């Protein structure tokens, strides 16, 4: 499973760049950062930080403007993936951009039907917001699992991307569900790598060696 970092801060992205396969952002994540002079400045800074795919959401809302905005960005940044909200305008834009060889990330997916239409439109990634679904009492991981099955059933080229991840169990669950990608906040990545028994085991190893150095036969 590929791991993308879900963040827009350049320093955070640099810190995790050795262990991630790409980056996803959205207007809210970018708006939180004070280090940009504007949306295009944010794009310029972020896209240059990793070699892998960087998803940047366009701000246009009608198909024609989406396509124009996407073409302009794709002409400047080769590793950019254009994030487009699902909906009729979005599907139209995804279809045309795919035909032009521009990668798209269908975002704000909350149902398998939305994912199916985005896959048919040729979206490179299908971003399913599992945390927000869970927040409403729905089972976000099941939408990932069913979408993975549909992609397999019909041989769609889209990759299922689990987003809105809240904790390490979400990562485990979407990995078991066969998600191609998980985009993960930095704090959750940190939690994934930790376990109290690891810390305790290392402490014991180092103490045992430290004590052993005092023996005469070393
Ligand atoms: O990539 C989408 C993600 O940033 C949304 O997460 O926590 O706002 O639902 P959240």
């Amino acid at each position: 499973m590929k791991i993308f970092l879900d963040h827009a801060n350049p320093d955070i992205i640099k810190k995790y760049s050795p262990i991630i396969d790409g980056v996803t952002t959205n207007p809210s994540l970018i708006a939180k950062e004070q280090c940009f002079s504007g949306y295009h400045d944010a794009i310029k800074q972020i896209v240059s930080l990793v070699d892998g795919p960087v998803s940047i959401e366009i701000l246009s809302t009608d198909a024609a403007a989406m396509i124009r905005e996407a073409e302009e960005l794709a002409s400047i940044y080769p590793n950019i993936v254009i994030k487009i909200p699902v909906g009729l305008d979005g599907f139209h834009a995804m279809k045309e951009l795919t035909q032009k060889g521009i990668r798209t990330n269908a975002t704000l997916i909350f149902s398998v039907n939305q994912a199916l239409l985005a896959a048919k439109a040729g979206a490179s990634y299908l971003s399913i917001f599992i945390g927000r679904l869970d927040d409403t009492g729905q089972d976000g991981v099941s939408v990932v699992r069913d979408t993975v099955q549909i992609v397999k059933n019909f041989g769609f080229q889209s990759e299922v991307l689990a987003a809105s991840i809240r904790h390490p169990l979400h990562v485990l669950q979407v990995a078991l569900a066969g998600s191609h990608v998980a985009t993960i906040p930095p704090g959750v990545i940190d939690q994934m790598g930790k376990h109290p028994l690891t810390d305790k085991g290392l402490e014991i190893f180092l103490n045992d060696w430290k004590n052993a150095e005092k023996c005469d036969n070393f």
Side-chain angles (χ1 to χ4, degrees):
M1 183 170 79
K2 294 172 198 162
I3 288 182
F4 291 176
L5 180 71
D6 196 33
H7 212 278
N9 180 281
D11 292 335
I12 297 283
I13 294 170
K14 284 177 199 165
K15 176 182 174 185
Y16 289 86
S17 59
I19 60 169
I20 57 173
D21 302 299
V23 172
T24 59
T25 68
N26 60 50
S28 301
L29 290 174
I30 291 176
K32 284 176 188 171
E33 302 304 328
Q34 306 303 318
C35 54
F36 303 126
S37 61
Y39 205 67
H40 279 269
D41 176 48
I43 297 171
K44 184 177 178 183
Q45 288 195 47
I46 293 167
V47 173
S48 64
L49 293 173
V50 294
D51 295 330
V54 177
S55 289
I56 301 283
E57 190 158 337
I58 49 175
L59 301 174
S60 304
T61 54
D62 67 274
M66 285 175 173
I67 293 164
R68 283 196 303 273
E69 188 179 350
E71 286 180 314
E72 182 189 343
L73 289 172
S75 68
I76 304 168
Y77 307 106
N79 62 322
I80 199 169
V81 178
I82 306 296
K83 247 190 178 184
I84 301 176
V86 291
L88 289 181
D89 281 281
F91 299 138
H92 175 91
M94 289 172 212
K95 185 82 174 182
E96 185 153 335
L97 291 167
T98 300
Q99 289 166 346
K100 295 183 175 189
I102 295 172
R103 290 181 296 174
T104 59
N105 181 342
T107 192
L108 288 170
I109 293 177
F110 294 99
S111 74
V112 182
N113 278 332
Q114 286 176 319
L116 174 58
L117 290 174
K120 284 181 65 64
S124 310
Y125 299 101
L126 307 171
S127 287
I128 300 168
F129 282 40
I130 65 171
R132 295 191 190 185
L133 280 164
D134 289 2
D135 291 345
T136 67
Q138 289 183 257
D139 179 359
V141 175
S142 70
V143 177
V144 170
R145 188 177 303 110
D146 292 346
T147 302
V148 167
Q149 187 58 55
I150 284 173
V151 165
K152 278 180 188 163
N153 289 352
F154 302 101
F156 288 122
Q157 296 307 303
S158 307
E159 290 187 275
V160 178
L161 190 158
S164 185
I165 284 180
R166 298 277 198 272
H167 45 68
L169 182 58
H170 266 162
V171 182
L172 172 62
Q173 291 170 330
V174 298
L176 290 171
S179 190
H180 303 93
V181 187
T183 192
I184 309 173
V188 176
I189 294 177
D190 291 348
Q191 287 175 293
M192 286 168 66
K194 290 178 183 171
H195 194 290
L197 288 179
T198 303
D199 297 339
K200 187 64 183 165
L202 179 58
E203 183 186 351
I204 291 169
F205 286 162
L206 296 177
N207 282 338
D208 284 353
W209 176 250
K210 188 175 173 207
N211 295 332
E213 281 177 343
K214 295 179 180 144
C215 300
D216 293 341
N217 58 345
F218 271 85

